[in-house]
Amino acid sequence: MSELQKRFAVAGIGIPSVLGLVYMGGWFIAVPLAGFAGLAAHEVFRLAAKKEVAPIGPLGCATAAALVLLAGFKPTFATYAPYALAVLGVSVAICIATALVARHPARSPLADVSVTLFGSVYVGLSLAFMPLLHALPTHLGWSSAGGTALGGLMVVALPLAATWIGDAAAFFAGTAWGKKKLAPSISPNKSWVGFWAAVFGASFAGVAWVFIAGRYLPGLDLPWWVALVLGALLGVAAVVGDLAESLFKREADVKDSGTFFPGHGGVLDRIDSLTLTIPTAFVALVLASVAL
């Protein structure tokens, strides 16, 4: 199966499934995302193990999953933050206790603890922003009367559309015209043409999104040019997120982060861009709504 066929296969199954769960919202988002967060954290720890680092895997996976589940339980940032800090504080304490009891100084305990905490935050806190993002229209009064489910879907659709459309634009433009490499030591297939195509595609997605979603989010009322800028910002975030995961894989000398999706790599391979675009969308939309 060619790379293009793989992309269409994943999109044909994954996109409708994701949109259906996002439409239902609440625990329908949080529970599957928590599972993915735990699996993605496990893949981060496997990459670290290739360099003889021994993260505290069960703790890191549990922390990543808990951060997402808490966002389903407390879907506003103000109510979520204290619980998230408590989970991270407990995780830090357990990491330190484990290092003191079971990690010899010669076995790099600092690296073990650091990767454990980084892996859990890298995927867990990032994905936790999806339930928080979904709840914004309800808690900030953006949705029309009776349009809570569609309002949540429309807000989450912004980073998803910007990521997916930008990625598709980068793939086709980079394949056709990409000559000068963007970061050859990290990801040899990425080109500057692909990067700008990703930003352009994400910008287009942002403008299309504001015209489609506007009727379901009358309380948000973003100008089209703000949506254009937001889309471009998300396009950059998506590329950076992709490059970050490629960097980690390059260090571990592996092609894919895992084998969860046969022929398509691991969970982290599928969400690498979203680890940055989802929280970026949350922060940008909140700031834009306050500023405008």
Side-chain angles (χ1 to χ4, degrees):
M1 182 180 291
S2 68
E3 181 64 24
L4 183 59
Q5 290 173 320
K6 290 180 182 179
R7 286 172 177 261
F8 278 124
V10 171
I13 298 172
I15 291 177
S17 301
V18 170
L19 293 180
L21 291 172
V22 171
Y23 175 79
M24 291 185 285
W27 294 110
F28 290 99
I29 301 176
V31 172
L33 275 181
F36 278 122
L39 290 170
H42 175 66
E43 291 177 358
V44 172
F45 303 148
R46 287 182 58 190
L47 295 178
K50 297 285 186 180
K51 304 305 290 184
E52 300 183 356
V53 176
I56 309 166
L59 174 64
C61 294
T63 301
L67 287 171
V68 179
L69 288 175
L70 279 173
F73 177 61
K74 296 289 185 181
T76 67
F77 188 80
T79 57
Y80 171 74
Y83 288 92
L85 286 174
V87 167
L88 291 174
V90 170
S91 185
V92 169
I94 296 175
C95 277
I96 293 173
T98 302
L100 289 172
V101 173
R103 294 293 196 273
H104 191 275
R107 291 186 54 198
S108 305
L110 177 59
D112 297 348
V113 169
S114 299
V115 172
T116 301
L117 295 173
F118 170 77
S120 60
V121 171
Y122 171 44
V123 293
L125 191 58
S126 298
L127 294 182
F129 275 94
M130 185 176 283
L132 299 179
L133 187 62
H134 186 275
L136 279 181
T138 300
H139 295 288
L140 296 183
W142 294 348
S143 293
S144 56
T148 300
L150 274 175
L153 171 62
M154 288 299 164
V155 171
V156 175
L158 173 59
L160 296 182
T163 301
W164 293 338
I165 293 175
D167 180 65
F171 175 77
F172 287 112
T175 301
W177 302 296
K179 301 296 183 184
K180 188 174 182 180
K181 299 305 179 183
L182 176 62
S185 63
I186 298 174
S187 184
N189 293 327
K190 286 183 172 53
S191 64
W192 278 103
V193 168
F195 168 77
W196 289 114
V199 174
F200 177 82
S203 301
F204 168 80
V207 174
W209 171 81
V210 80
F211 283 110
I212 295 171
R215 69 187 69 179
Y216 303 102
L217 301 168
L220 182 57
D221 193 27
L222 285 182
W224 70 267
W225 62 268
V226 174
L228 176 74
V229 174
L230 284 179
L233 179 63
L234 293 174
V236 174
V239 174
V240 173
D242 192 349
L243 284 175
E245 196 234 359
S246 295
L247 177 64
F248 302 149
K249 291 191 297 184
R250 178 70 63 178
E251 180 186 9
D253 195 25
V254 297
K255 180 179 182 294
D256 298 317
S257 65
T259 58
F260 185 82
F261 299 100
H264 303 287
V267 173
L268 196 58
D269 292 316
R270 304 274 68 83
I271 66 168
D272 51 3
S273 295
L274 295 175
T275 59
L276 286 186
T277 56
I278 291 174
T280 298
F282 178 90
V283 174
L285 283 174
V286 170
L287 291 178
S289 67
V290 172
L292 299 174

